[in-house]
Amino acid sequence: AGGGPLAQWRVPAAEAATAFRRTSRDRGLQFSLPWPAAPPPGEHVRVAVRIVPPGGTPLEADATIRVR
């Protein structure tokens, strides 16, 4: 369903360092990222993440998630 990014967020390292969460089901970085405009139509959206560690190789991942 083509097109470019619907939105983009940049999270400073200091903020990302405080976003680690551990639950009984999972662990990882957790962010609430509000849409800059109306959310996209439909129930799902593909999210791509790129983390650039200091002096390291960038890590990339993507997933399809449900829009809330």
Side-chain angles (χ1 to χ4, degrees):
L6 299 172
Q8 180 173 318
W9 297 267
R10 292 185 186 271
V11 179
E15 183 180 337
T18 66
F20 184 79
R21 302 288 183 269
R22 182 183 306 263
T23 68
S24 59
R25 291 181 48 207
D26 215 348
R27 64 188 169 107
L29 298 173
Q30 180 177 335
F31 300 96
S32 291
L33 303 168
W35 291 104
E43 292 185 15
H44 295 88
V45 66
R46 180 176 166 260
V47 175
V49 177
R50 185 170 195 252
I51 297 173
V52 183
T57 302
L59 307 168
E60 297 180 352
D62 67 86
T64 299
I65 63 169
R66 186 178 180 122
V67 176
R68 294 196 231 180

